[in-house]
Amino acid sequence: MVDLAPAHRDAYLELARRRRLYGGLLLVIFVAMMAAGFRLAESRNAGGFVDGLPMVLAFPSEVLAEAWQKRANLPGLLMAHLPSLVETLNIAAVSTLLGGLVAMGLALLSTRGLARWPRLTGVFRRLMDALRAVPEIVIALVLIYILGGGPVPAVIAISLHTAGALGKLFSEVAENADLKPVEGLASVGAGWGQQMGLGVLPQVAPNWLSYALMRFEINLRASAILGFVGSGGIGYDLKLAMQWGGGRYDEVVAIFLLLFVAIVVIDRISDHARGRLVRG
Amino acid sequence: MTKTATLSPALTGTVLTRFARRRLAAFAVPLAILAYLAYAAVAFDVAGLAGRARMDNAAVLLSDFWQHKTHVTRDNRTGALRVAIDGEAKGVYPADRLPAWIATQGDATRIDLGHGHVVTYDADGARYDVPGYGLIDIRPQDGQLHLTAPQPLPDWISASEGRVSVTTEAGRFAYTRSKVETFRYEPGWALFFFTLDSPFHYMSWPEIAASALWGPRVDPDLPNVAAMARDFWTNAMWRHGDVIWAMFETVLMAFLGTFGAAILALPLGFMAARNMMPLGALRFGLRRIFDFIRGVDGLIWTIVLARAFGPGPMTGALAILLTDTGSFGKMFSEALENIDEKQVEGIRSTGAGAVQRARFGVIPQVTPVLLSQVLYFLESNTRGATVIGAIVGGGIGLLLTQAIQTQKDWEDVAYYMVLIVLMVMAMDSFSGWLRRKLIKG
């Protein structure tokens, strides 16, 4: 049994007390900030929190009630909006693919030990930071002005963002890759592309794919939102149906169902696939 | 003598078929991707894009991003001269303080567009002297415009009975019966710091510094520095005050939403973790609720909440809060299931209750994991709050969509874009700093 000398014990208790004090102070400051922030946000909002709270369920129940009355329309509406859902899925898939391909290049070029031009790794990193920092909506809205509506602005906007976001994750994976295969390939005279393709890619492929799948889930949501703000896909249909207001709520419910089922199914599949990829 | 390994024919066969399959896959996967992209290109009508693309819009946008134009307009009926930046009422020059490239003398106005291009308005009409081409002279007579210019007319001059317009690399000039107008393009964002009604607009930078430090008071009620801050803050052209508020609102939405969700999700995560909650039914129910919240997605939650609470930052914060509660609940419960049970057992052996076990056995283990997830969400929500702001009508997202919808304030759009990128990068490094500070070792 070890007994602490009283002086040590006091010092320890003093330390513990001070830690608790600091922790408590931090907590109080944090709670105060949250409360003040919430009050401020509420004061700048059109409606108050307490007044709005009972209304939260009013709109969904109104929508559901109307849709229930017209439930006979639902199968037809579901079929009618299926092409838009496919478009949204396509936007997400294409931008994940394109963004992922660019991200592969950027990641390899910005990883220490693998980079083609080691001096430029910083440049490629900053480039990825910049791509990540620009929200999709900014690029999409500007491109809609130039290219007109449709899925292409959304694809470009999401791809650019994906390239930055995936590039960072890819590069973190590639940093941990074993360099021995690369050295082996270099010793037999393989070029940089061959070194990467044969030496690094097989090592990182499972993790990269898993990240890309996760990104696909995110991009699906992003493409729905971009459709709502800009144009194209199921988000746009939803916006049109919402603007109509009462009378077309059966359409709102149909679109919502399509989106919900798509998101849940894809989340499930990708969850499962990622589990298998990473655990082998 | 060396022993060579010989493979049984069956094994050789297996190896060879596997190789063949691999080789096939190595070609098939890129081919499948290409085929899919080709299908998408057809489905998205990329070929028709060239026809729909408005390259003139792109040109307007790009030129507006980095330069501004000053309209010099004379009303041909009253003879009144108006010099305004971007033709806006907020940017009208006072008559006694016109820019140096405009000279007025009685009825005559001489506008120097630079590089030898000179436009003159006078009582007879207007003249535009284009170097290397000659003089374009326009005189209204009997309600018609008489154009005198070297023939044949080049394609950058378009002339009809009621309107003559000239576009050169130095600027644009248009004469109609009611007015004559010249646009001069200059690089930079006009009136960014002070508008024309502020005395500081007419000072150079050293003069501004001197006036701030020891100059006589421009406004007797305020020190000069305060007057400058006020003029900058209330700049009618760029609305810096509103913009900063909007940025703050956006960050506030992300902050309230993320941390509110984390606070809500922590107890829920405990209740949904297999090793914390013995009641299987409750666990299952909570998990399905998390799945539902995540599946419905932020877009729908935002719309539903905007109906109840009206537009504004609180609605955005609540939308983020609700969506992230689903994600955090799932992530927290997974993190809690992966903890090391030994610590909990150690605490249990001292006779601690459930709350104490959670406080001293579980929380210290999971805090770093949870915090880093929360901070990661904080930075991605800052970006998300821009989009949500555009939907619910709050923050910088609203200003951005409004500026884009006007389709002419592209310099504002560029300004907001720069600010958004800076804001996201700042949040990025702030949350990275916080992560390193809080999760040392």
Side-chain angles (χ1 to χ4, degrees):
Chain A
M1 185 84 192
V2 186
D3 266 323
L4 285 171
H8 286 163
R9 216 186 68 179
D10 287 350
Y12 171 75
L13 284 180
E14 172 66 30
L15 203 68
R17 208 174 298 131
R18 199 181 303 160
R19 274 192 63 159
R20 205 175 303 159
L21 182 71
Y22 286 163
L25 266 181
L26 264 178
L27 198 68
V28 167
I29 292 174
F30 177 73
V31 169
M33 268 171 69
M34 288 286 292
F38 186 79
R39 293 279 298 275
L40 183 69
E42 193 185 6
S43 72
R44 292 177 72 86
N45 213 59
F49 182 69
V50 179
D51 304 333
L53 211 49
M55 306 276 292
V56 169
L57 290 177
F59 176 60
S61 55
E62 183 190 340
V63 169
L64 286 177
E66 194 190 310
W68 181 248
Q69 278 176 0
K70 302 186 188 166
R71 58 189 176 276
N73 294 346
L74 275 183
L77 285 170
L78 285 177
M79 288 311 290
H81 289 287
L82 202 57
S84 307
L85 179 68
V86 172
E87 185 169 78
T88 296
L89 286 172
N90 275 336
I91 292 173
V94 171
S95 41
T96 310
L97 270 176
L98 293 179
L101 289 176
V102 176
M104 283 164 69
L106 283 175
L108 291 175
L109 287 172
S110 66
T111 307
R112 235 171 289 122
L114 300 178
R116 179 83 179 78
W117 303 285
R119 278 153 194 267
L120 294 183
T121 49
V123 176
F124 288 113
R125 282 200 186 173
R126 292 294 89 71
L127 180 64
M128 292 194 300
D129 286 350
L131 286 175
R132 242 191 355 264
V134 185
E136 290 119 342
I137 186 176
V138 176
I139 303 176
L141 288 177
V142 169
L143 283 177
I144 285 172
Y145 176 64
I146 299 174
L147 298 179
V152 177
V155 168
I156 298 175
I158 301 179
S159 303
L160 287 177
H161 186 78
T162 302
L166 275 184
K168 185 185 176 204
L169 294 172
F170 282 4
S171 145
E172 276 165 14
V173 174
E175 253 169 26
N176 295 323
D178 188 1
L179 286 180
K180 289 199 193 86
V182 179
E183 282 163 22
L185 284 162
S187 73
V188 297
W192 185 75
Q194 287 168 318
Q195 287 172 28
M196 294 302 122
L198 301 169
V200 179
L201 217 52
Q203 295 185 54
V204 295
N207 278 318
W208 281 14
L209 262 181
S210 136
Y211 277 133
L213 279 175
M214 200 160 79
R215 197 69 222 176
F216 177 61
E217 294 173 40
I218 299 172
N219 283 350
L220 175 63
R221 294 168 153 92
S223 83
I225 290 190
L226 278 190
F228 192 84
V229 190
S231 67
I234 195 130
Y236 190 60
D237 286 11
L238 182 63
K239 181 177 153 180
L240 289 183
M242 292 281 302
Q243 275 172 348
W244 194 269
R248 267 167 79 175
Y249 282 151
D250 47 341
E251 207 174 334
V252 172
V253 169
I255 295 169
F256 164 72
L257 273 179
L258 280 175
L259 191 60
F260 179 71
V261 170
I263 287 178
V264 169
V265 167
I266 283 174
D267 274 14
R268 271 291 154 88
I269 295 174
S270 124
D271 233 22
H272 184 70
R274 278 190 289 139
R276 281 191 49 183
L277 275 172
V278 176
R279 272 174 236 123
Chain B
M1 194 178 135
T2 53
K3 204 174 170 185
T4 49
T6 45
L7 294 172
S8 68
L11 194 58
T12 323
T14 328
V15 169
L16 283 180
T17 34
R18 286 214 180 147
F19 263 149
R21 210 178 295 156
R22 283 255 166 125
R23 204 178 302 156
L24 193 67
F27 285 105
V29 169
L31 265 184
I33 291 179
L34 268 183
Y36 176 69
L37 287 180
Y39 150 73
V42 174
F44 293 167
D45 191 20
V46 174
L49 195 67
R52 273 178 287 133
R54 298 279 310 273
M55 282 306 143
D56 48 336
N57 279 355
V60 169
L61 188 145
L62 282 179
S63 79
D64 257 23
F65 269 0
W66 63 276
Q67 63 182 5
H68 66 276
K69 62 181 189 295
T70 310
H71 298 215
V72 184
T73 316
R74 186 186 67 177
D75 189 318
N76 285 341
R77 297 200 172 90
T78 61
L81 188 74
R82 181 175 181 268
V83 182
I85 286 171
D86 285 333
E88 288 184 54
K90 293 169 277 192
V92 178
Y93 279 91
D96 53 339
R97 281 187 145 158
L98 295 182
W101 46 271
I102 300 177
T104 50
Q105 213 168 35
D107 275 352
T109 307
R110 187 174 178 281
I111 303 158
D112 183 359
L113 293 180
H115 305 289
H117 293 255
V118 175
V119 176
T120 316
Y121 306 163
D122 56 24
D124 299 331
R127 273 172 308 289
Y128 184 178
D129 187 7
V130 183
Y133 170 70
L135 193 69
I136 303 165
D137 184 288
I138 299 157
R139 283 163 205 276
Q141 269 168 10
D142 317 323
Q144 291 203 341
L145 300 182
H146 284 268
L147 170 71
T148 322
Q151 297 293 336
L153 283 185
D155 58 358
W156 42 268
I157 299 180
S158 88
S160 65
E161 275 182 15
R163 181 184 171 89
V164 177
S165 63
V166 181
T167 310
T168 67
E169 71 276 8
R172 259 163 57 199
F173 168 84
Y175 201 114
T176 62
R177 268 169 232 147
S178 61
K179 65 178 182 186
V180 51
E181 193 162 36
T182 306
F183 297 167
R184 180 183 151 115
Y185 291 89
E186 281 164 296
W189 291 345
L191 313 182
F192 185 76
F193 293 100
F194 303 111
T195 41
L196 296 165
D197 51 9
S198 162
F200 302 108
H201 174 76
Y202 305 97
M203 297 182 188
S204 64
W205 285 113
E207 277 169 4
I208 286 178
S211 127
L213 292 173
W214 53 74
R217 282 192 178 188
V218 175
D219 180 341
D221 300 334
L222 279 177
N224 277 351
V225 178
M228 279 174 201
R230 183 200 58 196
D231 285 357
F232 178 75
W233 191 254
T234 57
N235 184 325
M237 206 76 170
W238 290 90
R239 301 191 300 156
H240 296 293
D242 295 347
V243 172
I244 305 267
W245 256 112
M247 302 255 296
F248 175 72
E249 269 182 18
T250 305
V251 174
L252 187 68
M253 277 193 252
F255 172 80
L256 286 178
T258 315
F259 286 107
I263 291 169
L264 266 186
L266 190 62
L268 294 178
F270 267 96
M271 282 189 254
R274 203 179 306 122
N275 48 353
M276 304 287 154
M277 170 51 63
L279 270 177
L282 181 66
R283 224 163 55 210
F284 182 82
L286 271 176
R287 295 241 154 151
R288 292 295 83 76
I289 291 177
F290 294 154
D291 285 349
F292 177 73
I293 293 178
R294 276 164 3 100
V296 171
D297 191 36
L299 172 64
I300 312 271
W301 289 126
T302 310
I303 296 170
V304 169
L305 291 176
R307 285 292 173 124
F309 298 110
M314 186 189 70
T315 310
L318 288 177
I320 295 175
L321 190 150
L322 196 54
T323 320
D324 282 3
T325 304
S327 312
F328 282 156
K330 178 170 186 267
M331 281 159 44
F332 286 5
S333 65
E334 279 166 7
L336 287 168
E337 282 174 1
N338 289 330
I339 57 161
D340 185 359
E341 285 292 335
K342 291 200 194 84
Q343 276 192 42
V344 185
E345 233 149 75
I347 305 279
R348 193 199 303 268
S349 71
T350 64
V355 176
Q356 284 163 321
R357 284 203 300 273
R359 167 67 186 84
F360 296 102
V362 182
I363 296 264
Q365 279 192 58
V366 292
T367 308
V369 183
L370 302 195
L371 260 182
S372 78
Q373 282 169 347
V374 169
L375 289 175
Y376 175 72
F377 265 68
L378 178 66
E379 66 185 68
S380 90
N381 278 340
T382 313
R383 251 188 318 268
T386 316
V387 184
I388 287 182
I391 302 175
V392 301
I396 193 85
L398 178 68
L399 289 186
L400 182 77
T401 41
Q402 280 174 348
I404 289 178
Q405 269 156 12
T406 63
Q407 302 218 336
K408 64 186 182 60
D409 297 328
W410 293 109
E411 68 282 359
D412 288 353
V413 174
Y415 178 44
Y416 301 151
M417 277 164 67
V418 170
L419 283 179
I420 290 172
V421 170
L422 287 180
M423 174 180 78
V424 172
M425 282 184 160
M427 283 304 270
D428 210 12
S429 45
F430 170 71
S431 77
W433 172 82
L434 211 58
R435 204 166 10 218
R436 279 191 302 279
K437 267 271 150 146
L438 294 173
I439 313 166
K440 260 181 294 187

